[in-house]
Amino acid sequence: MASLLAWFAHGRLWHFVWGSVVLSCLLSLLFSRIIHGHIAWDYPFTAGLISLLVSSVVVLLISRMRALEQTLADTRRDRALDLAARTQAEESLRESEERFRSFMDHSPAIAWMKDDQGRHVYVNRVFEHRFQMVSGQWLGRTNFELFPEEVARRFQTHDQMILADGLPKEFVEVAPDPDGTQRDWWTFKFPFRGPAGRRYVGGVAIDITDRKRMEAALLVSEERLRLALGAAQAGIWDWDIRTNAVQWSDNVSTIFGLSRETFVGTYEAYLALVDPQDLDRLLQAIRQSIQANVEYQIEHRILWPDGTVHWLACRGDVLRDADGTPVRMVGTVLDVTARKEMDLKLANSEAQLRAILDHSPALIFLKDREGRYLDVNRQFERAFNLSREAILGKTDTELFSPKQAAVFQTNDRLVLEAKRPLRFEETADYHDGPRTSIVFKFPLLDRDRMLYAVGGVATDITDRKRAEEALALARDQAMEAARLKSEFLATMSHEIRTPMNGVIGMTNLLLESALTPEQRECAEVVRNSGDHLLMIINDILDFSKIEAGRLTLETIDFDFRGMIDDTLDLIAEQARQKGLDLVGLIDASVPSAVRGDPGRLRQVLINLLGNAIKFTDRGEVVLRMTVAQDAQSHVVLRGDVTDTGIGISPEGRNKLFQTFSQVDASTTRRYGGTGLGLAICKRLTELMQGEIGMESAPGKGSRFWFTVRLEKGAAARATEPESLPTLDGQRVCLAGKPGSSHTFLEQAVASRGMQGVAANDGTEAAILMRKAAADGHPFDLVIFEEQLSGGEGAAFAQTMKADPALRMIPVIVVTSFGQRGDAGAARDAGVAAYLTRPIHQAALWRCLATVLAPVSDPSGQTAAEEGPMRPLITRHSMQEQTDRGRPHVLVVDDQKLNQVVAVSLLERLGCLVDVAESGQAAAEAVAATSYDLLFMDCQMFGMDGYQAAALIRKREGGGPRVPIIALTGHMQQSDRAQCLAAGMDDCLTKPLQFTLLEAMLRRWLKKDVDPGR
């Protein structure tokens, strides 16, 4: 049955089903016949039905089995095919990976892959080779382990951007080569995921360092080309011959004088701009370039819209196709207007230069290095009677005598060797005879600084040489005449000053004697006339030196404050005679030790102070000295001389400081003078690097000011002796009308730490002192200034002594009106000190210290009831206390009159005087006696003063040095220099004047002098 099923299974299934039903029906009929004996038709029906069901099930099982078999067969076949396909795919993948690795390893770019932690999982061989890594060295390592930290951090930032955005990006990154060279890389980075979904970053990079450099160089080149074209005002054009279209660079419109908007840019528009006079020439150049295949080059004019004419330089080339047919022209256009104008100017300049050269009276020539003439002017041709053609290309040997040619060639060689201009004196045979010339020869250099020629300019000095010889003779004669004139001036100065010395000196002595009023008036007229005449002589001599340029300044150390005090002393007598207050206010910042010319500075001060006194009838004359500028090495001082005189009108001020000029003629008639004083002062202040000026108004006085520059000295003379006791806290009553003198006293008292209280007059002062005594704070001292006339101080002192509350207060009287007998009256009235203006600050301090010092009686007890019991203090008594020794002075002069005058004046000044009549006698006297000072006349018979001074200095050797003062009737700067060279220390000009002589003694004597002896 199974085999039967199998047989049917292999057949068609419906055959099997119907066969099974028929067979089941037949068998059921057979079984019914056997069992029942007859045929039962329900058996076949049941059997057919069961057979149909069973066969259907069997058919279904067979179909399922056949499907399973087919499925199994298909599975075996598919598995075989899949295995074959997988094997083929793996082979393809392996080949693909090999191709990828080979491709990446031979790629010019470096490539890499990193995981999301930044660890490298792949790099190509280019990466390994570029960064010198062995295979596998990079695996699992981060950028921080392979590159510098800064580079690695930049790479990490870019990687994180890729992972965060999930998009590929490009970067330009900088990384160093192993040798440290920084390289620029174009980098393309992209994200991707692995099979397990893990994120990675891949990247490729190409070295663009060279490209970056080329791009930078290209940008620079393009910028340079643009700047060059702009600077040169050059444009570029491209003309298509076939279409007639023209392309222009952007700046061409500017060259054509148009804006970009108004410039059409067509070929016709360009031709419309061309100057009609140049149009045909332009078109001809274009046709010739196209037809003859030559370079297009032309310069032509165009007309700008504003009507101005400009020049253009056009250049171009014709481009042709393979058949040689012209298709395009390309070129440049350049604005050359400036060059054309320069060429025109240069042509004009060359023509002008040639005209100048040809009309120059000098001979001008040019030679090459071999000495051949390259060019000469017409004067050169005329001088040697040669044509230009005959000279050019020739040498000196071919044109001149051998001797002359040798000199010319030698001088040329000197210029070539020195490579700088040189000057020579040459003699040549002109057509009219030998002539001497000053020849200025100079080298000529080309653009490469190579010397290529020698130029020369020869000026005929034959006539000048002759004039110089005549001038030399005239100069010698003039110098001899000047020497004789100087000797005459010196002699005349000496001869004038010698009798003037006698007149003035003896007049001063006469005035010191007992005279009747008429005799004294006559003597004073003589003295004033002599002083005025001496002033005129001094002004004329100083002015003559200024005009001759021979006035020079000396630079010596001196005490500036002491010089001011001495100057005020010199001028004080003039102020006293007119009843004027003379006050000197020196600012505390003014230094004492300076370097300069004290004599000339004193001359300026005396002139200004003298003028102020001369033009002031009442009031005061004040000198104020302040610091205008204080530097490390020098100081600029300012002096102001203020008066209460007649003043000067604006018209009159314009005439000041001019020679021989005064405000008006009436001034000269009333006050006298030469009009040279202020002019000399102006020149002296300028020599001292300063200036001078004035301010004034008629009837309101004047203020003259000046500045001088002085060097700072090494040390200052002490203006306050260290031995003076302290005066701090002492109370002083200052009685007097407010003014400059009062201001001086206030400053002097305050500078010593004293308390000064001002009162307008004696009455107010007495009230103040009584009140202070009643309050228990009495005054220690009172300073009373006389305002109207002498005698006020004595009367005030008597009032003080009559008051029991005030009698013990010392009284100091300051006056400008001191006369003979006033000091005695003041002493009798109980005045402690009697001082005349001008007062020196140091002298006032000594006076205050002396007056306030305790006074003891003969028993040694301090006086208390009767007031101070000391002699009257005066300026001279204070000087006498300083040193009571009389200076021992030697006067050396061969003139009896001069001896008498000098001895008389010196004895008046408290000196012991000896006389020597010759230089030899003076030398012997100095050897035998120790003198404090010598006055030496310079001009004496036999051994003169210069020789005597030199001999004395020689004998002194290194021992003590006695000061020698030269006495001379003339004082030029050369004379002073000669005196100092001979060993003398200072100079004094005759005639001798009492105040100048006293100042000289104070300057050089260690002992003080006393005019009252």
Side-chain angles (χ1 to χ4, degrees):
M1 187 67 182
S3 59
L4 180 63
L5 291 173
W7 182 81
F8 277 109
H10 290 286
R12 296 186 177 181
L13 291 178
W14 60 275
H15 289 160
F16 172 75
V17 172
W18 291 114
S20 298
V21 172
V22 171
L23 180 59
S24 297
C25 290
L26 290 178
L27 287 176
S28 64
L29 289 177
L30 177 62
F31 283 146
S32 68
R33 180 72 176 176
I34 294 173
I35 295 172
H36 296 289
H38 63 87
I39 297 174
W41 294 100
D42 55 343
Y43 274 28
F45 176 78
T46 303
L49 181 60
I50 293 171
S51 177
L52 179 61
L53 293 172
V54 172
S55 61
S56 297
V57 171
V58 172
V59 169
L60 290 175
L61 290 174
I62 292 173
S63 296
R64 182 63 178 168
M65 183 181 65
R66 291 180 66 183
L68 289 175
E69 288 179 354
Q70 183 64 37
T71 299
L72 181 61
D74 291 340
T75 300
R76 289 195 186 105
R77 185 177 66 254
D78 290 342
R79 184 176 296 175
L81 292 175
D82 183 56
L83 181 60
R86 183 181 299 173
T87 302
Q88 185 177 2
E90 289 178 353
E91 183 66 25
S92 298
L93 179 60
R94 185 168 53 253
E95 291 179 357
S96 176
E97 287 181 354
E98 289 298 330
R99 285 195 301 270
F100 173 76
R101 287 184 178 275
S102 177
F103 171 77
M104 296 305 295
D105 289 342
H106 292 84
S107 170
I110 63 174
W112 68 91
M113 296 181 189
K114 291 181 281 187
D115 60 17
D116 55 0
Q117 300 300 317
R119 293 184 293 266
H120 287 80
V121 298
Y122 166 78
V123 299
N124 64 349
R125 289 184 182 178
V126 180
F127 188 103
E128 294 176 341
H129 176 73
R130 190 58 183 260
F131 297 106
Q132 297 181 2
M133 297 179 185
V134 298
S135 178
Q137 181 182 356
W138 45 266
L139 185 62
R141 303 180 72 177
T142 65
N143 288 323
F144 289 93
E145 299 174 273
L146 300 177
F147 299 101
E149 181 179 358
E150 182 179 353
V151 176
R153 184 174 290 106
R154 188 162 55 248
F155 290 169
Q156 184 185 52
T157 300
H158 293 167
D159 293 346
Q160 292 174 352
M161 290 173 58
I162 296 299
L163 293 174
D165 298 341
L167 298 173
K169 292 185 179 180
E170 298 180 9
F171 304 96
V172 174
E173 298 177 331
V174 179
D177 282 348
D179 61 359
T181 304
Q182 296 292 330
R183 309 292 293 183
D184 294 312
W185 297 87
W186 173 84
T187 305
F188 178 77
K189 293 185 177 182
F190 51 90
F192 66 94
R193 291 182 179 272
R198 189 172 184 179
R199 297 187 302 167
Y200 295 87
V201 175
V204 293
I206 299 175
D207 187 350
I208 61 171
T209 304
D210 295 336
R211 192 186 77 185
K212 292 274 287 185
R213 292 174 182 169
M214 292 177 62
E215 288 176 352
L218 182 60
L219 289 175
V220 171
S221 177
E222 291 177 350
E223 181 65 16
R224 287 177 178 172
L225 177 60
R226 186 184 65 79
L227 292 175
L229 291 175
Q233 295 186 347
I236 301 175
W237 51 269
D238 185 348
W239 177 35
D240 190 326
I241 300 175
R242 293 171 297 184
T243 64
N244 206 33
V246 184
Q247 298 293 327
W248 305 90
S249 59
D250 293 339
N251 62 334
V252 169
S253 59
T254 304
I255 297 175
F256 290 160
L258 301 169
S259 63
R260 294 184 181 180
E261 293 75 14
T262 58
F263 179 52
V264 178
T266 63
Y267 179 70
E268 292 75 13
Y270 163 63
L271 294 180
L273 295 173
V274 178
D275 191 305
Q277 299 180 18
D278 296 341
L279 183 59
D280 292 339
R281 186 166 56 89
L282 172 66
L283 296 175
Q284 177 63 28
I286 295 174
R287 285 192 297 269
Q288 185 176 3
S289 178
I290 294 175
Q291 297 172 2
N293 197 21
V294 296
E295 181 184 14
Y296 171 63
Q297 183 174 350
I298 188 174
E299 291 184 356
H300 65 86
R301 291 165 291 182
I302 64 170
L303 298 177
W304 276 22
D306 60 4
T308 58
V309 177
H310 287 253
W311 281 89
L312 302 181
C314 300
R315 299 176 64 95
D317 291 310
V318 178
L319 304 181
R320 303 175 185 273
D321 58 15
D323 299 331
T325 302
V327 293
R328 293 167 56 205
M329 282 186 71
V330 179
T332 61
V333 56
L334 176 67
D335 189 335
V336 294
T337 304
R339 194 199 72 195
K340 278 290 188 178
E341 293 176 351
M342 186 61 67
D343 290 344
L344 180 60
K345 292 180 180 178
L346 182 59
N348 294 335
S349 177
E350 289 179 352
Q352 293 173 0
L353 179 60
R354 172 52 62 181
I356 293 172
L357 294 178
D358 288 340
H359 292 85
S360 171
L363 279 65
I364 302 175
F365 57 87
L366 187 66
K367 305 177 190 177
D368 62 16
R369 293 178 60 91
E370 285 70 33
R372 292 185 293 267
Y373 282 89
L374 300 176
D375 197 4
V376 296
N377 68 341
R378 290 183 183 176
Q379 186 64 21
F380 193 100
E381 299 178 50
R382 287 193 290 265
F384 298 106
N385 199 21
L386 295 171
S387 65
R388 177 185 175 87
E389 290 73 17
I391 298 173
L392 299 185
K394 303 289 183 62
T395 64
D396 291 321
T397 304
E398 299 174 272
L399 299 175
F400 305 105
S401 66
K403 182 178 180 181
Q404 293 179 12
V407 173
F408 298 163
Q409 292 170 348
T410 299
N411 293 340
D412 292 346
R413 283 194 297 270
L414 291 175
V415 174
L416 291 172
E417 293 170 0
K419 295 183 179 180
R420 61 183 179 85
L422 297 176
R423 181 178 174 180
F424 306 97
E425 184 174 310
E426 297 177 348
T427 301
D429 292 331
Y430 284 25
H431 71 280
D432 57 353
R435 310 284 290 183
T436 302
S437 301
I438 290 293
V439 184
F440 180 76
K441 294 187 176 182
F442 49 91
L444 294 176
L445 307 178
D446 59 17
R447 293 182 178 178
D448 298 327
R449 307 297 298 171
M450 298 298 293
L451 195 150
Y452 72 93
V454 173
V457 179
T459 304
D460 187 353
I461 61 168
T462 305
D463 296 335
R464 193 183 78 184
K465 291 283 285 186
R466 295 170 184 167
E468 286 177 354
E469 294 173 357
L471 184 60
L473 178 60
R475 179 196 60 202
D476 295 340
Q477 294 173 349
M479 290 179 65
E480 179 64 16
R483 185 186 65 81
L484 295 175
K485 180 180 178 181
S486 297
E487 290 183 358
F488 174 76
L489 180 62
T491 302
M492 290 303 298
S493 177
H494 178 75
E495 294 301 326
I496 292 175
R497 289 176 183 273
T498 297
M500 286 295 299
N501 185 33
V503 172
I504 295 177
M506 297 309 292
T507 303
N508 287 330
L509 293 176
L510 181 62
L511 287 170
E512 293 297 322
S513 62
L515 300 174
T516 65
E518 292 81 3
Q519 291 171 336
R520 181 170 298 279
E521 182 179 0
C522 294
E524 287 180 350
V525 170
V526 173
R527 183 182 64 179
N528 292 337
S529 299
D531 291 340
H532 185 64
L533 179 59
L534 182 61
M535 180 190 69
I536 293 174
I537 293 173
N538 290 335
D539 284 350
I540 292 175
L541 290 176
D542 282 343
F543 181 71
S544 65
K545 286 186 285 185
I546 291 175
E547 289 295 299
R550 297 176 59 187
L551 181 64
T552 57
L553 301 180
E554 63 179 356
T555 302
I556 61 174
D557 291 301
F558 70 96
D559 182 357
F560 181 81
R561 290 177 176 268
M563 186 274 296
I564 294 295
D565 290 341
D566 293 343
T567 302
L568 292 174
D569 289 342
L570 292 175
I571 209 74
E573 182 60 29
Q574 298 180 35
R576 280 193 290 269
Q577 289 177 1
K578 298 190 68 173
L580 301 175
D581 286 341
L582 178 62
V583 183
L585 300 176
I586 306 178
D587 190 83
S589 60
V590 175
S592 293
V594 293
R595 287 175 53 82
D597 192 330
R600 293 302 180 182
L601 184 54
R602 184 183 296 108
Q603 183 177 353
V604 173
L605 289 171
I606 289 176
N607 201 305
L608 296 179
L609 289 169
N611 282 346
I613 294 173
K614 180 193 300 184
F615 295 103
T616 302
D617 294 329
R618 65 179 62 88
E620 63 182 8
V621 173
V622 182
L623 168 64
R624 288 183 174 86
M625 295 301 306
T626 57
V627 176
Q629 179 184 354
D630 192 357
Q632 183 176 1
S633 61
H634 67 274
V635 62
V636 177
L637 300 180
R638 176 187 172 103
D640 291 83
V641 177
T642 307
D643 62 58
T644 56
I646 60 176
I648 305 174
S649 65
E651 297 78 11
R653 290 200 296 268
N654 297 330
K655 298 180 181 180
L656 294 177
F657 307 111
Q658 298 180 10
T659 56
F660 306 107
S661 175
Q662 290 191 342
V663 174
D664 55 43
S666 62
T667 301
T668 305
R669 290 194 299 271
R670 179 178 177 184
Y671 297 101
T674 61
L676 292 174
L678 291 179
I680 294 174
C681 289
K682 183 176 187 296
R683 181 56 177 155
L684 289 177
T685 54
E686 290 173 349
L687 288 175
M688 288 184 276
Q689 303 181 45
E691 54 184 347
I692 191 170
M694 65 86 62
E695 299 172 3
S696 181
K700 296 184 179 180
S702 303
R703 182 175 69 88
F704 282 80
W705 60 267
F706 67 92
T707 59
V708 293
R709 183 181 187 272
L710 300 174
E711 299 178 13
K712 290 186 176 180
R717 186 190 72 181
T719 58
E720 177 186 355
E722 296 180 359
S723 60
L724 288 180
T726 179
L727 300 176
D728 292 346
Q730 300 281 356
R731 302 191 69 205
V732 181
C733 181
L734 303 175
K737 185 178 180 180
S740 300
S741 178
H742 204 69
T743 301
F744 168 78
L745 293 175
E746 290 176 340
Q747 292 178 352
V749 167
S751 65
R752 291 292 295 166
M754 306 175 74
Q755 298 179 9
V757 179
N760 291 326
D761 51 33
T763 303
E764 183 178 338
I767 295 174
L768 285 174
M769 288 187 287
R770 291 191 188 97
K771 185 177 185 301
D775 294 339
H777 300 288
F779 282 91
D780 300 293
L781 179 71
V782 59
I783 300 177
F784 181 84
E785 293 187 82
E786 291 187 339
Q787 301 296 327
L788 299 177
S789 62
E792 293 179 70
F796 174 75
Q798 290 175 348
T799 302
M800 292 277 294
K801 297 305 177 183
D803 190 330
L806 307 179
R807 62 180 302 180
M808 297 299 297
I809 301 176
V811 179
I812 297 177
V813 175
V814 176
T815 182
S816 299
F817 313 98
Q819 301 293 331
R820 287 183 179 273
D822 289 348
R827 180 177 57 248
D828 295 340
V831 174
Y834 189 78
L835 305 178
T836 57
R837 299 189 186 94
I839 304 174
H840 301 172
Q841 190 177 65
L844 179 60
W845 288 341
R846 288 196 299 269
C847 177
L848 294 173
T850 304
V851 170
L852 293 173
V855 180
S856 300
D857 60 16
S859 64
Q861 299 298 320
T862 301
E865 297 297 332
E866 300 299 328
M869 299 181 297
R870 59 164 59 90
L872 180 68
I873 299 174
T874 65
R875 179 163 55 181
H876 303 307
S877 68
M878 287 187 292
Q879 294 170 352
E880 190 175 53
Q881 291 174 5
T882 304
D883 189 348
R884 296 181 179 276
R886 296 182 66 186
H888 198 178
V889 178
L890 176 65
V891 174
V892 185
D893 200 310
D894 60 351
Q895 295 287 332
K896 189 66 176 178
L897 178 60
N898 292 340
Q899 294 174 6
V900 172
V901 172
V903 170
S904 300
L905 294 176
L906 290 170
E907 286 180 346
R908 280 184 57 199
L909 291 166
C911 298
L912 294 176
V913 186
D914 293 341
V915 176
E917 296 185 350
S918 67
Q920 185 63 42
E924 295 173 358
V926 171
T929 306
S930 177
Y931 290 101
D932 295 309
L933 190 65
L934 269 66
F935 286 95
M936 181 79 71
D937 185 37
C938 294
Q939 295 179 334
M940 295 183 293
F941 293 106
M943 181 182 292
D944 60 19
Y946 304 113
Q947 297 169 330
L951 178 59
I952 293 172
R953 294 302 183 220
K954 182 178 180 181
R955 289 180 177 179
E956 286 176 344
R961 179 186 175 98
V962 58
I964 302 177
I965 309 302
L967 297 177
T968 178
H970 52 92
M971 185 49 60
Q972 303 287 342
Q973 186 65 27
S974 59
D975 300 321
R976 180 179 180 84
Q978 185 179 2
C979 293
L980 298 178
M984 302 185 192
D985 298 283
D986 210 334
C987 301
L988 193 60
T989 306
K990 297 177 183 178
L992 298 180
Q993 299 182 69
F994 183 83
T995 53
L996 295 178
L997 185 61
E998 181 184 4
M1000 188 65 68
L1001 290 173
R1002 293 186 186 280
R1003 185 183 307 170
W1004 290 103
L1005 285 179
K1006 297 179 180 178
K1007 304 175 181 179
D1008 287 335
V1009 296
D1010 183 5
R1013 286 182 176 163

